[in-house]
Amino acid sequence: IRLPVCWSAHALNEKPYTIDPNFFKRMDWVVLEAIQREVIVILNMHHYRPLYKDPAGHKERFLALWNQIAQRYKDYPVTLVFELLNEPEGNLKAAEWNAMLKEALNVIRRSNPTRMVVIGPVNYNNIRLLNTLELPKDDRNIIVTAHYYLPFQFTHQGADWVGGGVANSWLGTKWTGTDEEKQAIIKDFDDAAAWAKENNRPIYIGEFGAYSKADMDSRARWTKFVADTAIEHGFSFTYWEFCAEQFGLYDPNANSFRKPLLEALIPPKKGL
């Protein structure tokens, strides 16, 4: 599972930027519950929006948060993976991010020299910007992540956080699985695979999904094709998201999975 945690909302704004001990205990419980069930946990730093707006002003705090997280979990099993930052964007451009990620890795490596760390490119972990990512060549315990929500007009139709209300004009957009639609996805994944081969880095599709205002048939069709294409390219993936209303795989009100999406990701065994 990929666990999105807004650490910045639970830590002091001034030095020494201490993370709330009670919040840490809550995260301990979540991580241990998963690990005890033999589930890999990708523990990330999510929604640190002030960092996107003012990278220089928040760099020290960002590094301090990671120092605390790394120290806290240094003795946990290898099935705990760190993810440096969800979707770097805004004023956190490629040059700034490449410099900052190296500093963050140095902080983590002091206490977790071989733990796997997930890192992605700027502009919301854009799969088409992998070539802007600069990683330390001697650190091979890195997994590169990219997020995939293309075509955006389909996956985000009706999404109220898309600026200017433009997403409502996309309502009714379908994804029917035409050759042209499929080839657009294949090309993006082919390009990512070529980059991965050239740089000898594994690729992990950390997020993909289609918003609930799209029709379910299209959502399931698109989700299955993206998942299948990822598998064909040897990419690991996590679907966004588990049980929130917008993209959720699971319906907490009905206490059941949304079957078309579940079967798109995990096809039922034949004969069952």
Side-chain angles (χ1 to χ4, degrees):
I1 64 170
R2 178 172 180 257
L3 187 62
V5 183
C6 189
W7 297 99
S8 58
H10 300 275
L12 296 178
N13 288 317
E14 306 297 333
K15 289 182 180 179
Y17 311 112
T18 306
I19 295 171
D20 180 355
N22 288 326
F23 185 73
F24 246 143
K25 289 178 182 177
R26 181 182 175 195
M27 291 303 101
D28 295 346
W29 180 86
V30 174
V31 171
L32 284 171
E33 286 292 309
I35 287 175
Q36 288 169 3
R37 289 165 173 78
E38 299 183 347
V39 174
I40 294 171
V41 181
I42 299 168
L43 184 64
N44 97 342
M45 189 169 292
H46 215 84
H47 287 327
Y48 195 167
R49 293 190 175 95
L51 177 66
Y52 306 150
K53 186 176 181 180
D54 181 13
H58 280 264
K59 184 181 77 168
E60 183 180 54
R61 187 170 185 252
F62 172 68
L63 298 177
L65 295 179
W66 266 117
N67 183 54
Q68 294 172 73
I69 297 164
Q71 290 286 345
R72 181 86 171 199
Y73 297 113
K74 65 182 180 180
D75 295 323
Y76 275 57
V78 295
T79 48
L80 176 63
V81 176
F82 294 157
E83 181 176 351
L84 275 190
L85 184 64
N86 177 67
E87 297 189 340
E89 47 98 357
N91 291 324
L92 191 52
K93 306 297 185 184
E96 291 79 8
W97 176 228
N98 286 328
M100 193 181 296
L101 72 85
K102 292 180 179 69
E103 291 189 63
L105 268 175
N106 287 336
V107 168
I108 290 170
R109 292 302 179 220
R110 289 200 293 264
S111 54
N112 294 259
T114 60
R115 188 173 301 281
M116 284 293 178
V117 178
V118 172
I119 308 174
V122 293
N123 194 20
Y124 304 93
N125 292 147
N126 193 318
I127 196 170
R128 295 175 177 174
L129 292 179
L130 288 169
N131 62 355
T132 68
L133 194 59
E134 296 177 4
L135 302 171
K137 287 185 169 55
D138 59 345
D139 192 332
R140 307 315 300 177
N141 293 308
I142 294 172
I143 299 169
V144 173
T145 188
H147 292 180
Y148 201 76
Y149 291 105
L150 299 174
F152 197 72
Q153 290 83 354
F154 165 68
T155 65
H156 280 68
Q157 56 186 289
D160 56 13
W161 62 90
V162 176
V166 66
N168 286 334
S169 68
W170 305 334
L171 287 169
T173 303
K174 296 182 179 297
W175 197 87
T176 60
T178 65
D179 287 344
E180 183 179 4
E181 288 172 327
K182 290 179 178 179
Q183 284 303 316
I185 294 173
I186 290 169
K187 183 182 186 307
D188 285 334
F189 281 50
D190 281 351
D191 290 347
W195 181 91
K197 183 177 180 180
E198 180 181 351
N199 291 274
N200 191 27
R201 299 287 187 183
I203 297 289
Y204 156 59
I205 306 300
E207 289 186 17
F208 67 105
Y211 190 47
S212 58
K213 290 189 179 180
D215 69 276
M216 182 56 81
D217 285 347
S218 291
R219 292 176 70 195
R221 194 178 296 117
W222 178 89
T223 299
K224 176 173 173 52
F225 190 77
V226 172
D228 289 350
T229 306
I231 291 169
E232 288 171 5
H233 285 76
F235 301 163
S236 57
F237 63 78
T238 47
Y239 176 79
W240 183 267
E241 56 204 345
F242 179 60
C243 68
E245 181 62 32
Q246 291 92 340
F247 296 86
L249 181 65
Y250 187 83
D251 184 342
N253 296 317
N255 197 29
S256 63
F257 284 95
R258 295 182 170 102
K259 190 174 180 180
L261 294 177
L262 178 64
E263 293 188 351
L265 294 164
I266 308 174
K269 294 182 179 179
K270 292 181 180 179
L272 295 179

